């Protein structure tokens, strides 16, 4: 779920974005070009050259997908018609995955519709569903969570008419999408993925269906 209400600028205590002092870490703002009023970084590349998350522009507005380097903040593009977004994972090449968000107001209710996306560079956004050409392509990606340096993308989505949330691994090199399954082994149980390593191993949680 996108954290639209979080307006506190995060500090990233990880290699490439801190200076290691004798007694520990020294927090530094990622927004060195001073174009945001707040945000949060969720992930950092292995090299420490890139971080990814969301940020709010100076002057306010909706949370926008963002990537950080030593040069500061770069806002990433959204899908056409969407108002918000967030980047969840970034690899050593600076490619990022996350969600583009369409915000719809119906009366007093606000609805957030997330679509999983890939930013192959800071100027190009594509739907994860457009990259899936084989395998479990009936899963509609809601959000990308992580990606490694070998073309594997971890994310989650839903199958039409099925209640469970499904975690998937999408191989960009061949277009194959794979449902990674659940401990329960049923279609309406859910899996929530959290991270993916260079070997393609995934960690997360598995949940039984709610009755």
């Amino acid at each position: 779920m996108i954290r639209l209400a979080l307006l506190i600028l995060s500090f990233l205590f990880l290699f490439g974005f801190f200076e290691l002092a004798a007694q520990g870490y020294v927090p530094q703002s990622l927004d060195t070009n001073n174009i945001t009023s707040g945000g949060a970084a969720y992930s950092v590349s292995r090299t420490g050259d890139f971080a990814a998350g969301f940020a709010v522009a100076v002057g306010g507005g909706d949370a926008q997908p963002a990537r950080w380097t030593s040069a500061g903040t770069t806002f990433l593009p959204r899908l056409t018609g969407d108002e918000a977004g967030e980047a969840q994972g970034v690899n050593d090449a600076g490619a990022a995955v996350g969600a583009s968000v369409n915000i719809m107001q119906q009366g007093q209710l606000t609805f957030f519709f997330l679509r999983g996306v890939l930013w192959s560079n800071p100027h190009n956004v594509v739907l994860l569903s457009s990259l899936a050409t084989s395998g479990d392509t009936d899963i509609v990606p809601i959000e990308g969570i992580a990606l490694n340096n070998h073309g594997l993308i971890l994310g989650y989505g839903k199958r039409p008419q099925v209640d469970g949330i499904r975690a998937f691994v999408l191989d960009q090199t061949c277009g194959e999408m794979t449902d990674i399954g659940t401990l329960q082994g049923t279609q309406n149980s859910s899996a929530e993925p959290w991270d993916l390593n260079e070997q393609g191993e995934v960690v997360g949680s598995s949940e039984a269906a709610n009755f």
Side-chain angles (χ1 to χ4, degrees), residues 9-39:
L9 183 62
S10 287
F11 299 109
L12 191 61
F13 307 147
L14 292 170
F15 182 73
F17 294 93
F18 64 79
E19 294 179 358
L20 185 59
Q23 299 301 318
Y25 298 109
V26 178
Q28 296 180 348
S29 172
L30 297 176
D31 186 37
T32 56
N33 51 346
N34 299 314
I35 64 172
T36 76
S37 61

Side-chain angles (χ1 to χ4, degrees), residues 42-53:
Y42 296 149
S43 61
V44 63
S45 64
R46 294 190 311 166
T47 61
D49 294 324
F50 301 97

Side-chain angles (χ1 to χ4, degrees), residues 30-198:
L30 297 176
D31 186 37
T32 56
N33 51 346
N34 299 314
I35 64 172
T36 76
S37 61
Y42 296 149
S43 61
V44 63
S45 64
R46 294 190 311 166
T47 61
D49 294 324
F50 301 97
F54 78 85
V56 177
V58 171
D62 295 316
Q64 303 299 316
R67 194 186 73 173
W68 291 274
T69 66
S70 59
T73 306
T74 298
F75 288 108
L76 302 174
R78 308 174 307 271
L79 294 172
T80 301
D82 287 354
E83 296 81 18
E86 64 178 358
Q88 285 278 2
V90 65
N91 68 10
D92 292 346
V97 292
S100 183
V101 183
N102 184 14
I103 304 174
M104 296 186 64
Q105 193 76 34
Q106 295 183 7
Q108 296 183 345
L109 299 177
T110 303
F111 296 92
F112 302 94
F113 297 95
L114 282 69
R115 291 183 288 176
V117 294
L118 165 71
W119 292 276
S120 55
N121 61 63
H123 311 291
N124 184 48
V125 58
V126 296
L127 284 165
L128 294 182
S129 58
S130 70
L131 304 177
T133 58
S134 63
D136 298 306
T137 57
D138 57 331
I139 297 176
V140 179
I142 295 173
E143 187 163 26
I145 297 298
L147 73 167
N148 65 18
N149 296 304
H150 302 289
L152 297 182
I153 295 173
L154 176 67
Y156 67 90
K158 279 182 64 65
R159 284 189 165 93
Q161 312 303 318
V162 179
D163 290 336
I165 296 293
R166 309 303 295 187
F168 63 82
V169 171
L170 173 60
D171 189 340
Q172 295 180 73
T173 62
C174 63
E176 184 176 10
M177 177 180 280
T178 303
D179 184 338
I180 67 172
T182 65
L183 292 174
Q184 293 76 20
T186 58
Q187 286 291 327
N188 59 349
S189 55
S190 294
E192 186 173 8
W194 285 105
D195 204 4
L196 169 80
N197 67 11
E198 293 302 305

